[in-house]
Coordinates of all heavy atoms in Angstrom, one line a residue:
M1 N 0.8 -1.2 0.0 CA 0.0 0.0 0.0 C 0.9 1.3 0.0 O 0.6 2.2 -0.7 CB -0.9 0.0 1.2 CG -2.0 1.0 1.2 SD -3.1 0.8 -0.1 CE -4.1 2.1 0.1
K2 N 2.0 1.2 0.8 CA 2.8 2.4 0.8 C 3.5 2.6 -0.5 O 3.7 3.7 -1.0 CB 3.9 2.2 1.9 CG 3.4 2.3 3.3 CD 4.5 2.2 4.3 CE 4.0 2.3 5.7 NZ 5.0 2.2 6.7
L3 N 3.8 1.5 -1.2 CA 4.4 1.6 -2.5 C 3.5 2.2 -3.5 O 3.9 3.1 -4.3 CB 4.8 0.2 -3.0 CG 5.5 0.1 -4.4 CD1 6.8 0.9 -4.4 CD2 5.7 -1.3 -4.8
V4 N 2.2 1.9 -3.5 CA 1.2 2.5 -4.4 C 1.1 4.0 -4.1 O 1.1 4.8 -5.0 CB -0.1 1.8 -4.3 CG1 -1.2 2.5 -5.0 CG2 0.0 0.3 -4.7
A5 N 1.1 4.3 -2.9 CA 1.0 5.8 -2.5 C 2.2 6.5 -3.0 O 2.1 7.6 -3.5 CB 0.8 5.9 -1.0
A6 N 3.4 5.9 -2.8 CA 4.6 6.6 -3.2 C 4.7 6.7 -4.7 O 5.0 7.8 -5.2 CB 5.8 5.8 -2.7
L7 N 4.3 5.7 -5.5 CA 4.3 5.8 -6.9 C 3.3 6.8 -7.4 O 3.5 7.6 -8.4 CB 4.0 4.4 -7.5 CG 5.1 3.4 -7.4 CD1 4.6 2.1 -8.0 CD2 6.3 3.9 -8.1
T8 N 2.1 6.9 -6.8 CA 1.1 7.9 -7.1 C 1.7 9.3 -6.9 O 1.5 10.2 -7.7 CB -0.2 7.7 -6.3 OG1 -0.7 6.4 -6.5 CG2 -1.2 8.7 -6.7
G9 N 2.3 9.5 -5.7 CA 2.9 10.8 -5.4 C 4.0 11.2 -6.4 O 4.0 12.4 -6.9
I10 N 4.8 10.3 -6.8 CA 5.9 10.6 -7.8 C 5.3 10.9 -9.2 O 5.7 11.8 -9.8 CB 6.8 9.4 -7.9 CG1 7.6 9.2 -6.6 CG2 7.8 9.5 -9.1 CD1 8.5 8.0 -6.5
T11 N 4.2 10.2 -9.5 CA 3.6 10.4 -10.8 C 2.9 11.8 -10.8 O 3.0 12.6 -11.8 CB 2.5 9.4 -11.1 OG1 3.1 8.1 -11.1 CG2 1.8 9.6 -12.4
L12 N 2.3 12.2 -9.8 CA 1.6 13.5 -9.7 C 2.7 14.6 -9.7 O 2.5 15.7 -10.3 CB 0.8 13.6 -8.4 CG -0.5 12.8 -8.5 CD1 -1.2 12.9 -7.1 CD2 -1.5 13.3 -9.6
L13 N 3.8 14.4 -9.0 CA 4.9 15.4 -9.0 C 5.5 15.6 -10.4 O 5.7 16.7 -10.9 CB 5.9 15.0 -8.0 CG 7.1 15.9 -7.9 CD1 6.7 17.3 -7.4 CD2 8.2 15.4 -6.9
A14 N 5.7 14.5 -11.1 CA 6.2 14.5 -12.4 C 5.3 15.2 -13.4 O 5.7 16.0 -14.2 CB 6.6 13.1 -12.9
A15 N 4.0 14.9 -13.3 CA 3.0 15.6 -14.1 C 2.9 17.1 -13.9 O 2.8 17.8 -14.8 CB 1.6 14.9 -13.9
S16 N 3.0 17.5 -12.6 CA 2.9 18.9 -12.3 C 4.1 19.7 -12.8 O 4.1 20.8 -13.2 CB 2.7 19.2 -10.8 OG 3.8 18.8 -10.1
T17 N 5.3 19.0 -12.8 CA 6.5 19.6 -13.3 C 6.4 19.8 -14.8 O 6.8 20.9 -15.4 CB 7.7 18.7 -13.0 OG1 7.8 18.5 -11.6 CG2 9.0 19.4 -13.5
V18 N 5.8 18.9 -15.6 CA 5.7 19.0 -17.0 C 4.8 20.2 -17.3 O 5.1 21.0 -18.2 CB 5.1 17.7 -17.6 CG1 4.7 17.9 -19.1 CG2 6.1 16.6 -17.5
Y19 N 3.7 20.4 -16.6 CA 2.8 21.5 -16.9 C 3.3 22.8 -16.5 O 2.9 23.8 -17.0 CB 1.4 21.2 -16.3 CG 0.7 20.1 -17.0 CD1 0.4 18.9 -16.4 CD2 0.2 20.2 -18.3 CE1 -0.2 17.8 -17.0 CE2 -0.4 19.2 -19.0 CZ -0.7 18.0 -18.3 OH -1.3 17.0 -18.9
A20 N 4.2 22.8 -15.6 CA 4.8 24.1 -15.1 C 5.8 24.7 -16.0 O 6.1 25.8 -16.0 CB 5.4 23.9 -13.7
A21 N 6.4 23.8 -16.8 CA 7.5 24.3 -17.7 C 6.9 25.2 -18.8 O 5.8 24.9 -19.4 CB 8.2 23.1 -18.4
P22 N 7.6 26.3 -19.1 CA 7.1 27.2 -20.2 C 7.1 26.5 -21.5 O 8.0 25.7 -21.8 CB 8.0 28.4 -20.1 CG 9.2 27.9 -19.4 CD 8.8 26.8 -18.5
K23 N 6.2 26.8 -22.4 CA 6.1 26.3 -23.7 C 7.3 26.8 -24.5 O 7.7 27.9 -24.4 CB 4.8 26.6 -24.4 CG 4.6 26.0 -25.8 CD 3.3 26.2 -26.3 CE 3.2 25.6 -27.7 NZ 1.8 25.8 -28.3
T24 N 7.9 25.9 -25.4 CA 9.0 26.3 -26.2 C 8.6 26.6 -27.6 O 7.8 25.8 -28.1 CB 10.1 25.2 -26.2 OG1 10.4 24.9 -24.8 CG2 11.4 25.6 -26.9
Y25 N 9.2 27.6 -28.2 CA 8.9 28.0 -29.6 C 10.2 27.9 -30.4 O 11.2 27.8 -29.8 CB 8.3 29.4 -29.6 CG 7.0 29.5 -28.8 CD1 7.0 29.9 -27.5 CD2 5.8 29.2 -29.4 CE1 5.9 30.0 -26.8 CE2 4.6 29.3 -28.7 CZ 4.7 29.7 -27.3 OH 3.5 29.8 -26.6
Q26 N 10.0 28.0 -31.7 CA 11.2 27.9 -32.6 C 11.1 29.0 -33.7 O 10.0 29.2 -34.2 CB 11.2 26.5 -33.1 CG 12.2 26.3 -34.3 CD 12.1 24.9 -34.8 OE1 12.1 24.0 -34.0 NE2 12.0 24.7 -36.1
V27 N 12.2 29.5 -34.1 CA 12.3 30.4 -35.2 C 13.6 30.0 -36.0 O 14.6 29.8 -35.4 CB 12.3 31.9 -34.9 CG1 13.4 32.3 -34.0 CG2 12.2 32.8 -36.1
T28 N 13.4 30.0 -37.3 CA 14.6 29.6 -38.2 C 14.7 30.7 -39.3 O 13.7 31.1 -39.8 CB 14.4 28.2 -38.8 OG1 14.2 27.3 -37.8 CG2 15.5 27.9 -39.7
G29 N 16.0 31.1 -39.5 CA 16.2 32.0 -40.6 C 17.7 32.5 -40.6 O 18.4 32.1 -39.7
P30 N 18.0 33.4 -41.5 CA 19.4 33.9 -41.6 C 19.6 35.0 -40.5 O 18.7 35.7 -40.2 CB 19.5 34.5 -43.0 CG 18.0 34.8 -43.3 CD 17.2 33.8 -42.7
V31 N 20.8 35.0 -40.0 CA 21.2 36.0 -38.9 C 21.4 37.3 -39.6 O 22.2 37.4 -40.6 CB 22.4 35.5 -38.2 CG1 22.9 36.5 -37.2 CG2 22.2 34.2 -37.5
L32 N 20.8 38.4 -39.1 CA 21.0 39.7 -39.6 C 22.0 40.5 -38.7 O 22.7 41.4 -39.2 CB 19.7 40.5 -39.6 CG 18.6 39.9 -40.5 CD1 17.4 40.8 -40.5 CD2 19.1 39.8 -42.0
E33 N 22.0 40.2 -37.4 CA 22.9 40.9 -36.4 C 23.1 40.0 -35.2 O 22.2 39.3 -34.8 CB 22.2 42.2 -36.0 CG 22.9 43.1 -35.1 CD 22.2 44.4 -34.7 OE1 21.1 44.6 -35.3 OE2 22.7 45.1 -33.9
V34 N 24.3 40.1 -34.6 CA 24.6 39.3 -33.4 C 25.4 40.3 -32.5 O 26.3 41.0 -32.8 CB 25.6 38.1 -33.7 CG1 25.9 37.4 -32.4 CG2 25.0 37.2 -34.7
K35 N 24.9 40.3 -31.2 CA 25.5 41.1 -30.1 C 25.6 40.1 -29.0 O 25.1 39.0 -29.0 CB 24.7 42.3 -29.8 CG 24.7 43.4 -30.9 CD 24.0 44.6 -30.4 CE 24.0 45.7 -31.5 NZ 23.3 46.9 -31.0
D36 N 26.3 40.6 -27.9 CA 26.5 39.8 -26.7 C 25.2 39.4 -26.0 O 25.0 38.4 -25.5 CB 27.4 40.5 -25.7 CG 28.8 40.5 -26.1 OD1 29.2 39.7 -27.0 OD2 29.6 41.4 -25.6
D37 N 24.2 40.3 -26.1 CA 22.9 40.1 -25.4 C 21.7 39.9 -26.3 O 20.6 39.7 -25.8 CB 22.6 41.3 -24.5 CG 22.5 42.6 -25.3 OD1 22.9 42.7 -26.5 OD2 22.0 43.6 -24.7
M38 N 21.9 39.8 -27.6 CA 20.8 39.5 -28.5 C 21.2 39.1 -29.9 O 22.4 39.2 -30.3 CB 19.8 40.7 -28.6 CG 20.4 41.9 -29.3 SD 19.9 42.0 -31.0 CE 20.7 43.5 -31.5
I39 N 20.2 38.5 -30.6 CA 20.5 38.1 -32.0 C 19.2 38.5 -32.8 O 18.1 38.4 -32.3 CB 20.7 36.6 -32.1 CG1 21.1 36.1 -33.5 CG2 19.6 35.8 -31.5 CD1 21.6 34.7 -33.6
V40 N 19.4 38.9 -34.0 CA 18.3 39.3 -34.9 C 18.3 38.3 -36.1 O 19.3 38.1 -36.7 CB 18.5 40.7 -35.5 CG1 17.3 41.1 -36.4 CG2 18.6 41.7 -34.3
V41 N 17.1 37.7 -36.3 CA 16.9 36.7 -37.3 C 15.8 37.2 -38.3 O 14.8 37.7 -37.8 CB 16.6 35.3 -36.7 CG1 16.3 34.3 -37.8 CG2 17.7 34.8 -35.8
Q42 N 16.0 36.9 -39.6 CA 14.9 37.2 -40.6 C 14.0 36.0 -40.7 O 14.5 34.9 -41.0 CB 15.6 37.6 -41.9 CG 14.6 38.0 -43.0 CD 14.3 39.4 -42.9 OE1 15.1 40.3 -42.5 NE2 13.1 39.8 -43.2
K43 N 12.7 36.2 -40.5 CA 11.8 35.2 -40.7 C 10.7 35.7 -41.7 O 9.9 36.5 -41.3 CB 11.1 34.7 -39.4 CG 10.1 33.6 -39.7 CD 9.5 33.1 -38.4 CE 8.5 32.0 -38.7 NZ 7.8 31.5 -37.6
G44 N 10.8 35.3 -42.9 CA 9.9 35.9 -43.9 C 10.2 37.3 -44.1 O 11.4 37.7 -44.3
S45 N 9.2 38.2 -44.0 CA 9.5 39.6 -44.1 C 9.7 40.3 -42.7 O 9.9 41.5 -42.6 CB 8.3 40.3 -44.8 OG 7.1 40.1 -44.0
E46 N 9.7 39.5 -41.6 CA 9.8 40.0 -40.3 C 11.2 39.8 -39.7 O 11.9 38.9 -40.0 CB 8.8 39.4 -39.3 CG 7.4 39.6 -39.7 CD 6.5 38.8 -38.7 OE1 6.9 37.8 -38.2 OE2 5.3 39.3 -38.5
K47 N 11.6 40.8 -38.9 CA 12.9 40.7 -38.2 C 12.6 40.3 -36.7 O 11.9 41.0 -36.1 CB 13.7 42.0 -38.2 CG 14.1 42.3 -39.6 CD 14.9 43.7 -39.7 CE 15.3 44.0 -41.1 NZ 15.9 45.3 -41.2
W48 N 13.2 39.2 -36.3 CA 12.9 38.7 -34.9 C 14.2 39.0 -34.1 O 15.3 38.6 -34.4 CB 12.7 37.2 -34.9 CG 11.3 36.8 -35.5 CD1 10.8 37.2 -36.7 CD2 10.4 36.0 -34.9 NE1 9.6 36.7 -36.8 CE2 9.3 35.9 -35.7 CE3 10.4 35.3 -33.7 CZ2 8.2 35.1 -35.5 CZ3 9.2 34.6 -33.4 CH2 8.2 34.5 -34.3
Q49 N 14.0 39.8 -33.0 CA 15.1 40.2 -32.1 C 14.9 39.3 -30.9 O 13.9 39.5 -30.2 CB 15.1 41.7 -31.8 CG 16.2 42.1 -30.9 CD 16.2 43.6 -30.6 OE1 15.9 44.3 -31.5 NE2 16.6 44.0 -29.5
I50 N 15.8 38.5 -30.5 CA 15.7 37.6 -29.4 C 16.9 37.8 -28.5 O 18.0 37.8 -28.9 CB 15.6 36.1 -29.9 CG1 14.4 35.9 -30.8 CG2 15.5 35.1 -28.7 CD1 14.3 34.6 -31.5
A51 N 16.5 38.0 -27.2 CA 17.6 38.2 -26.2 C 18.3 36.9 -25.9 O 17.8 35.8 -26.0 CB 16.9 38.7 -24.9
K52 N 19.6 37.0 -25.5 CA 20.4 35.9 -25.1 C 21.3 36.4 -24.0 O 21.6 37.6 -23.8 CB 21.2 35.3 -26.3 CG 22.2 36.2 -26.9 CD 22.8 35.5 -28.1 CE 24.0 36.3 -28.7 NZ 25.3 35.9 -28.2
D53 N 21.8 35.4 -23.2 CA 22.8 35.7 -22.1 C 23.8 34.7 -22.0 O 23.9 33.8 -22.9 CB 22.0 35.9 -20.8 CG 21.3 34.7 -20.4 OD1 21.5 33.6 -20.8 OD2 20.4 34.8 -19.5
K54 N 24.6 34.7 -20.9 CA 25.7 33.8 -20.8 C 25.2 32.3 -20.6 O 26.0 31.4 -20.9 CB 26.5 34.1 -19.5 CG 25.8 34.1 -18.2 CD 26.6 34.5 -17.0 CE 25.9 34.5 -15.8 NZ 25.1 33.3 -15.4
D55 N 24.0 32.1 -20.3 CA 23.5 30.7 -20.1 C 22.9 30.2 -21.4 O 22.5 29.0 -21.5 CB 22.4 30.7 -19.1 CG 22.9 31.1 -17.7 OD1 24.1 30.7 -17.4 OD2 22.2 31.7 -16.9
T56 N 22.8 31.0 -22.5 CA 22.3 30.5 -23.8 C 23.3 29.5 -24.4 O 24.4 29.8 -24.6 CB 22.1 31.7 -24.7 OG1 21.2 32.6 -24.1 CG2 21.5 31.2 -26.1
K57 N 22.8 28.3 -24.7 CA 23.6 27.3 -25.3 C 23.8 27.6 -26.8 O 22.8 27.7 -27.5 CB 23.0 25.9 -25.1 CG 23.8 24.8 -25.7 CD 23.1 23.5 -25.5 CE 23.9 22.4 -26.2 NZ 23.2 21.1 -26.2
V58 N 25.0 27.8 -27.3 CA 25.2 28.1 -28.7 C 26.1 26.9 -29.3 O 27.1 26.6 -28.7 CB 26.0 29.4 -28.8 CG1 26.3 29.7 -30.3 CG2 25.2 30.5 -28.2
T59 N 25.6 26.4 -30.4 CA 26.3 25.3 -31.1 C 26.7 25.8 -32.5 O 25.9 26.3 -33.2 CB 25.4 24.0 -31.2 OG1 25.0 23.7 -29.9 CG2 26.2 22.9 -31.8
G60 N 28.0 25.8 -32.8 CA 28.4 26.2 -34.1 C 28.9 27.7 -34.1 O 28.8 28.3 -33.0
D61 N 29.3 28.2 -35.2 CA 29.7 29.5 -35.4 C 28.6 30.4 -35.9 O 28.2 30.4 -37.0 CB 30.9 29.6 -36.4 CG 31.5 30.9 -36.5 OD1 31.4 31.8 -35.6 OD2 32.2 31.2 -37.5
V62 N 28.0 31.2 -35.0 CA 26.9 32.1 -35.3 C 27.5 33.4 -35.8 O 28.1 34.1 -35.0 CB 26.0 32.3 -34.1 CG1 24.8 33.2 -34.4 CG2 25.4 30.9 -33.6
K63 N 27.2 33.8 -37.0 CA 27.6 35.1 -37.6 C 26.6 35.5 -38.6 O 25.7 34.8 -39.0 CB 29.0 34.9 -38.2 CG 29.1 33.9 -39.3 CD 30.5 33.7 -39.8 CE 30.5 32.5 -40.8 NZ 31.8 32.1 -41.2
V64 N 26.7 36.8 -39.0 CA 25.7 37.4 -39.9 C 25.8 36.5 -41.2 O 26.8 36.2 -41.7 CB 26.1 38.8 -40.2 CG1 25.2 39.4 -41.3 CG2 26.0 39.7 -39.0
G65 N 24.6 36.2 -41.6 CA 24.4 35.4 -42.8 C 24.2 33.9 -42.6 O 23.7 33.2 -43.4
S66 N 24.6 33.4 -41.4 CA 24.4 32.0 -41.0 C 22.9 31.7 -40.9 O 22.1 32.6 -40.4 CB 25.1 31.7 -39.7 OG 26.4 31.9 -39.7
K67 N 22.5 30.5 -41.3 CA 21.1 30.1 -41.0 C 21.1 29.4 -39.7 O 21.9 28.5 -39.4 CB 20.6 29.2 -42.1 CG 19.2 28.8 -41.9 CD 18.7 27.9 -43.1 CE 17.2 27.5 -42.8 NZ 16.8 26.6 -43.9
V68 N 20.2 29.9 -38.8 CA 20.1 29.3 -37.4 C 18.7 28.9 -37.1 O 17.7 29.4 -37.7 CB 20.6 30.4 -36.4 CG1 22.1 30.7 -36.6 CG2 19.7 31.6 -36.4
T69 N 18.6 28.0 -36.2 CA 17.3 27.7 -35.5 C 17.4 28.0 -34.1 O 18.3 27.5 -33.4 CB 17.0 26.2 -35.7 OG1 16.9 25.9 -37.1 CG2 15.7 25.8 -35.1
I70 N 16.5 28.9 -33.6 CA 16.5 29.3 -32.2 C 15.3 28.7 -31.5 O 14.2 28.9 -32.0 CB 16.5 30.8 -32.1 CG1 17.7 31.4 -32.8 CG2 16.5 31.3 -30.7 CD1 17.7 32.9 -32.9
M71 N 15.6 28.1 -30.4 CA 14.5 27.6 -29.5 C 14.4 28.6 -28.4 O 15.4 29.0 -27.8 CB 14.8 26.2 -28.9 CG 15.1 25.2 -30.0 SD 13.7 24.9 -31.1 CE 12.5 24.1 -29.9
Y72 N 13.2 29.1 -28.1 CA 13.0 30.1 -27.1 C 11.7 29.9 -26.4 O 10.8 29.2 -26.8 CB 13.0 31.5 -27.7 CG 11.9 31.8 -28.6 CD1 10.8 32.5 -28.2 CD2 12.0 31.5 -30.0 CE1 9.7 32.8 -29.1 CE2 10.9 31.7 -30.8 CZ 9.8 32.4 -30.4 OH 8.8 32.6 -31.2
S73 N 11.5 30.5 -25.2 CA 10.2 30.5 -24.5 C 9.9 31.9 -24.1 O 10.7 32.8 -23.9 CB 10.3 29.6 -23.3 OG 11.3 30.1 -22.4
M74 N 8.6 32.1 -23.9 CA 8.1 33.5 -23.5 C 7.8 33.4 -22.0 O 7.2 32.5 -21.6 CB 6.9 33.9 -24.3 CG 7.1 34.2 -25.7 SD 5.7 34.9 -26.5 CE 5.3 33.5 -27.6
K75 N 8.3 34.4 -21.4 CA 8.1 34.5 -19.9 C 7.9 36.0 -19.5 O 8.6 36.9 -20.0 CB 9.4 34.0 -19.2 CG 9.3 34.0 -17.7 CD 10.6 33.5 -17.1 CE 11.2 34.7 -16.4 NZ 12.4 34.5 -15.8
A76 N 6.9 36.3 -18.7 CA 6.6 37.6 -18.3 C 7.8 38.1 -17.4 O 8.2 37.5 -16.5 CB 5.3 37.7 -17.6
A77 N 8.2 39.3 -17.7 CA 9.2 40.0 -16.8 C 8.6 40.7 -15.7 O 9.1 40.8 -14.6 CB 10.1 40.9 -17.6
S78 N 7.4 41.3 -16.0 CA 6.6 41.9 -14.9 C 5.2 42.0 -15.4 O 4.9 42.0 -16.6 CB 7.1 43.3 -14.6 OG 7.0 44.2 -15.7
I79 N 4.3 42.1 -14.5 CA 2.8 42.3 -14.7 C 2.3 43.4 -13.9 O 2.5 43.4 -12.6 CB 2.1 41.0 -14.5 CG1 2.6 39.9 -15.4 CG2 0.6 41.2 -14.7 CD1 2.1 38.5 -15.1
E80 N 1.6 44.3 -14.5 CA 1.0 45.4 -13.7 C -0.5 45.5 -14.0 O -0.9 45.7 -15.1 CB 1.7 46.8 -14.1 CG 1.1 47.9 -13.4 CD 1.7 49.3 -13.8 OE1 2.9 49.2 -14.3 OE2 1.1 50.3 -13.6
A81 N -1.3 45.3 -13.0 CA -2.7 45.3 -13.1 C -3.2 46.8 -12.9 O -2.7 47.5 -12.1 CB -3.4 44.4 -12.1
K82 N -4.1 47.2 -13.7 CA -4.7 48.5 -13.6 C -5.9 48.4 -12.8 O -6.6 47.4 -12.7 CB -5.1 49.1 -15.0 CG -3.9 49.2 -16.0 CD -2.9 50.2 -15.5 CE -1.8 50.3 -16.5 NZ -0.7 51.1 -16.0
D83 N -6.3 49.5 -12.1 CA -7.4 49.6 -11.2 C -8.7 49.4 -12.0 O -8.9 50.0 -13.0 CB -7.4 50.9 -10.4 CG -8.4 50.9 -9.3 OD1 -8.7 49.8 -8.7 OD2 -8.9 51.9 -8.9
G84 N -9.6 48.6 -11.4 CA -10.9 48.4 -12.0 C -11.0 47.2 -12.9 O -10.1 46.9 -13.6
A85 N -12.2 46.7 -13.0 CA -12.5 45.5 -13.8 C -13.1 46.0 -15.1 O -13.6 47.1 -15.2 CB -13.3 44.5 -13.1
A86 N -13.2 45.2 -16.1 CA -13.9 45.5 -17.3 C -15.4 45.7 -17.1 O -16.0 45.0 -16.3 CB -13.7 44.4 -18.3
K87 N -15.9 46.7 -17.7 CA -17.3 47.1 -17.5 C -18.2 46.2 -18.4 O -17.8 46.0 -19.5 CB -17.6 48.5 -17.8 CG -16.9 49.5 -16.9 CD -17.1 50.9 -17.2 CE -16.4 51.8 -16.3 NZ -16.6 53.2 -16.6
P88 N -19.3 45.6 -17.9 CA -20.1 44.8 -18.7 C -20.8 45.6 -19.7 O -21.1 46.8 -19.5 CB -21.1 44.2 -17.7 CG -21.1 45.2 -16.5 CD -19.7 45.8 -16.5
E89 N -21.0 45.0 -20.9 CA -21.7 45.7 -22.0 C -23.2 45.9 -21.7 O -23.8 45.1 -21.1 CB -21.6 45.0 -23.3 CG -20.1 44.9 -23.8 CD -20.1 44.1 -25.1 OE1 -21.1 44.1 -25.8 OE2 -19.0 43.6 -25.4
K90 N -23.7 47.1 -22.1 CA -25.1 47.4 -21.8 C -25.9 46.8 -23.0 O -25.6 46.8 -24.1 CB -25.4 48.9 -21.8 CG -24.8 49.5 -20.6 CD -25.1 51.0 -20.6 CE -24.4 51.7 -19.4 NZ -24.7 53.1 -19.4
K91 N -27.1 46.2 -22.6 CA -27.9 45.6 -23.6 C -28.9 46.6 -24.1 O -29.4 47.4 -23.3 CB -28.7 44.4 -23.0 CG -27.8 43.2 -22.7 CD -28.6 42.1 -22.2 CE -27.7 40.9 -21.8 NZ -28.5 39.8 -21.3
D92 N -29.2 46.7 -25.4 CA -30.1 47.6 -25.9 C -31.5 47.2 -25.5 O -31.9 46.0 -25.6 CB -30.0 47.7 -27.4 CG -28.8 48.3 -27.9 OD1 -28.2 49.1 -27.1 OD2 -28.3 48.0 -29.0
K93 N -32.3 48.1 -25.0 CA -33.7 47.9 -24.6 C -34.6 48.2 -25.8 O -34.5 49.3 -26.4 CB -34.1 48.7 -23.4 CG -33.4 48.3 -22.2 CD -34.0 49.2 -21.0 CE -33.3 48.8 -19.7 NZ -33.8 49.6 -18.6
K94 N -35.4 47.2 -26.2 CA -36.3 47.4 -27.3 C -37.7 47.7 -26.8 O -38.1 47.1 -25.8 CB -36.4 46.2 -28.2 CG -35.1 45.9 -28.9 CD -35.2 44.7 -29.8 CE -33.9 44.5 -30.6 NZ -34.0 43.3 -31.5
K95 N -38.3 48.8 -27.3 CA -39.6 49.2 -26.8 C -40.7 48.8 -27.7 O -40.6 48.7 -28.9 CB -39.7 50.7 -26.6 CG -38.7 51.1 -25.5 CD -38.9 52.6 -25.2 CE -37.9 53.0 -24.1 NZ -38.0 54.4 -23.8

């Protein structure tokens, strides 16, 4: 019985960890600009500027003109709530 409870606990912990991880996205295209803290990639007609830091894993020689695939995730840096809730829409009264 203790084994079943332990396995259930481990399964629930593993499942919650999976859902807590931020979703990963991908962009592929030629490099337009590289700096220490960011990289700019062309995707179609759009320029994607993506931040990077010392923990960013880089494989190969990234330089202007290189075709790269970047895996990234979106994470809020800050959230500021404004006072007041959305006002409900008024229904038109028909006479």
